[in-house]
Amino acid sequence: MSDLALKPPAASRRVIPHTVSPGLWTLAWRRLKTDSVAMVSMAIVIAFVVLMILSGLGLVARDWAREVGVNYAPPPFVGAPELPGTPGVENKVDAPAVPSAPTPGSAFESTVVDPIGDVISELRAESGRGGKGAPGATAASPGAPAAPSTEGGFVDPLADVMKEIEAQKSAAAAPSTTVDPLADVMKDIQAGKGAGPAADQRRATLPFGADKWGRDVIAKTIKGSETSIFVGLAAAIVATFIGTVLGALAGYYGRWVDDALNWFYSVFSSIPYLLLILAVAAVLQHKGTLTIVLILGLTGWTGVFRLIRAEYLKHKGREYVQAADAIGASNARRMFRHIFPNVSHVVLVQLSILVVAFIKSEVILSYLGFGVPVDVVSWGSMLNEAQNELLLGKWWQLVAAGGTMAVLVTAFSLFTDALRDALDPRLKGTAGH
């Protein structure tokens, strides 16, 4: 037999088709792309975040505090205000009446009654009698006022006051060695070196008007979005982190840890949210962006805690967690390496919801005076200023701040709803294939 006959036949290789099931985030992105409202909302949110970053870097709205327009300059479609000195506006100013000088020899007759005229007449009469009886007294010339005399018992009550006034005038006329701390600033202002342009160089109209100081409302709104969006994002991250950690501990360990954290949660949730924020802000008595972030972050974690605790209670008894326990994984690894990826969609949705809530809370705090300091602008401080301007008929700052906030909050809310539907595990397999 030949060698070929002794060799066994070669085994034929069969290719087995192998498909990888798409993950949760891949399916969520496929569902999200099919929702046109979600994509438009996400584009608006991304645009606002990019605008916040550019404003923080000083690339846009850097000179928002510059007074480029006249006070309350309206938008062009409203019409330029009638300023003094503009063509077509008649500035009629009545000249003050100059009293005519009395002619010599004419007696001035007044209808005003002097309330102390009788007292002065009596004093002058007593002074005249004292002057006649005094030895060596000289007769007064006719028409000349009688000089105050102490010999007849008449004392001038204003003599001491007049002496003090004359002494102060003499001291003021003398050269002073006091240094004026604002002398250089006043010289710069008089020389035209102020921060803003001269009054005659300011614009009568701006693209969307100006505030009471002549600052551009559009630049102010962009700068205000930096503060409001940053506070919303930062405070939401702080609150989500606190709620996630505490909820994971309570749901995973249970027993006395769960009881203690549930008691802590009940204390915070029993107080109305807005009242709790105002109480903490009033106690701190310190305005600033970081203060608002801490106030909102330390008081807004309760909703995240409740949901994450329920998810960990559900997942800690499942097979993949028991398998991780069998191979010797630590508690921290099982909590955050195995269970957390399966509940991360809940965390992301809650983060989006808190961003919207905290943006509105920052606006409320700043509107009530508990928010950002005076030198920082936000949408809440703009609305606080706009309430007084609205009484004067200047509505553009209110519309700019309120409209911008409404667009962002609406877009963020629609995006959050779409994201929650896309990440819902119950929808897996029904779409996106």
Side-chain angles (χ1 to χ4, degrees), residues 67-83:
E67 300 172 4
V68 295
V70 297
N71 299 344
Y72 300 117
F77 54 84
V78 175
E82 296 182 355
L83 300 177

Side-chain angles (χ1 to χ4, degrees), residues 300-311:
W301 55 269
T302 53
V304 183
F305 168 83
R306 184 181 68 254
L307 293 176
I308 297 301
R309 173 182 174 272
E311 291 293 328

Side-chain angles (χ1 to χ4, degrees), residues 21-309:
S21 176
L24 173 65
W25 296 103
T26 303
L27 292 175
W29 174 244
R30 291 178 183 177
R31 297 190 194 103
L32 201 63
K33 287 192 300 182
T34 59
D35 190 349
S36 59
V37 176
M39 298 305 293
V40 173
S41 302
M42 185 176 66
I44 294 175
V45 172
I46 293 175
F48 271 96
V49 173
V50 171
L51 193 64
M52 177 199 71
I53 296 173
L54 294 178
S55 177
L57 297 176
L59 300 179
V60 295
R62 179 186 301 177
D63 54 349
W64 68 272
R66 184 177 177 83
E67 300 172 4
V68 295
V70 297
N71 299 344
Y72 300 117
F77 54 84
V78 175
E82 296 182 355
L83 300 177
T86 55
V89 179
E90 296 181 1
N91 300 322
K92 296 181 180 180
V93 180
D94 296 333
V98 180
S100 58
T103 58
S106 62
F108 176 74
E109 297 181 358
S110 176
T111 58
V112 180
V113 179
D114 189 0
I116 60 173
D118 298 337
V119 179
I120 294 177
S121 299
E122 293 178 1
L123 293 176
R124 287 181 177 177
E126 293 178 0
S127 176
R129 288 195 298 270
K132 290 178 182 180
T138 58
S141 59
S149 174
T150 58
E151 297 178 358
F154 172 67
V155 179
D156 187 3
L158 299 177
D160 298 335
V161 179
M162 294 302 297
K163 288 180 181 179
E164 293 179 2
I165 294 176
E166 291 176 357
Q168 292 177 1
K169 288 183 178 180
S170 301
S176 176
T177 58
T178 305
V179 179
D180 186 3
L182 299 177
D184 297 335
V185 179
M186 295 303 297
K187 289 180 181 179
D188 293 340
I189 294 176
Q190 293 174 358
K193 297 180 180 179
D200 54 351
Q201 297 177 356
R202 295 184 183 180
R203 299 169 59 183
T205 60
L206 290 172
F208 208 80
D211 61 359
K212 63 181 178 180
W213 304 110
R215 297 175 294 193
D216 190 5
V217 170
I218 294 181
K220 194 174 179 181
T221 304
I222 294 174
K223 193 66 178 179
S225 66
E226 174 193 343
T227 304
S228 298
I229 297 175
F230 172 76
V231 168
L233 289 174
I237 292 173
V238 173
T240 305
F241 176 78
I242 295 175
T244 301
V245 173
L246 296 183
L249 293 174
Y252 182 81
Y253 286 104
R255 294 187 293 184
W256 66 269
V257 178
D258 188 19
D259 294 338
L261 292 177
N262 268 318
W263 175 85
F264 194 54
Y265 158 79
S266 300
V267 171
F268 272 83
S269 60
S270 62
I271 305 174
Y273 178 63
L274 186 58
L275 182 60
L276 180 62
I277 291 176
L278 295 178
V280 176
V283 169
L284 292 180
Q285 290 292 330
H286 183 271
K287 294 182 178 181
T289 304
L290 181 60
T291 304
I292 301 178
V293 170
L294 292 178
I295 291 174
L296 298 177
L298 295 177
T299 56
W301 55 269
T302 53
V304 183
F305 168 83
R306 184 181 68 254
L307 293 176
I308 297 301
R309 173 182 174 272

Side-chain angles (χ1 to χ4, degrees), residues 236-408:
I237 292 173
V238 173
T240 305
F241 176 78
I242 295 175
T244 301
V245 173
L246 296 183
L249 293 174
Y252 182 81
Y253 286 104
R255 294 187 293 184
W256 66 269
V257 178
D258 188 19
D259 294 338
L261 292 177
N262 268 318
W263 175 85
F264 194 54
Y265 158 79
S266 300
V267 171
F268 272 83
S269 60
S270 62
I271 305 174
Y273 178 63
L274 186 58
L275 182 60
L276 180 62
I277 291 176
L278 295 178
V280 176
V283 169
L284 292 180
Q285 290 292 330
H286 183 271
K287 294 182 178 181
T289 304
L290 181 60
T291 304
I292 301 178
V293 170
L294 292 178
I295 291 174
L296 298 177
L298 295 177
T299 56
W301 55 269
T302 53
V304 183
F305 168 83
R306 184 181 68 254
L307 293 176
I308 297 301
R309 173 182 174 272
E311 291 293 328
Y312 269 77
L313 285 173
K314 180 174 63 176
H315 281 268
K316 71 176 182 179
R318 293 191 172 179
E319 292 80 2
Y320 72 93
V321 180
Q322 295 176 359
D325 186 17
I327 63 176
S330 62
N331 291 326
R333 184 175 180 84
R334 276 177 279 168
M335 288 171 57
F336 299 107
R337 182 65 180 85
H338 296 275
I339 300 178
F340 180 76
N342 292 281
V343 301
S344 58
H345 62 283
V346 179
V347 177
L348 184 59
V349 171
Q350 289 300 308
L351 177 65
S352 303
I353 295 175
L354 288 179
V355 169
V356 177
F358 288 160
I359 288 176
K360 295 187 290 185
S361 299
E362 185 276 330
V363 171
I364 294 173
L365 285 176
S366 298
Y367 177 79
L368 297 177
F370 293 100
V372 296
V374 180
D375 56 341
V376 179
V377 63
S378 70
W379 290 338
S381 61
M382 291 179 65
L383 293 176
N384 191 7
E385 295 178 7
Q387 65 176 343
N388 297 325
E389 297 177 359
L390 191 61
L391 299 177
L392 303 176
K394 318 299 182 182
W395 48 265
W396 33 89
Q397 184 168 205
L398 176 64
V399 172
T404 308
M405 183 184 69
V407 170
L408 176 63

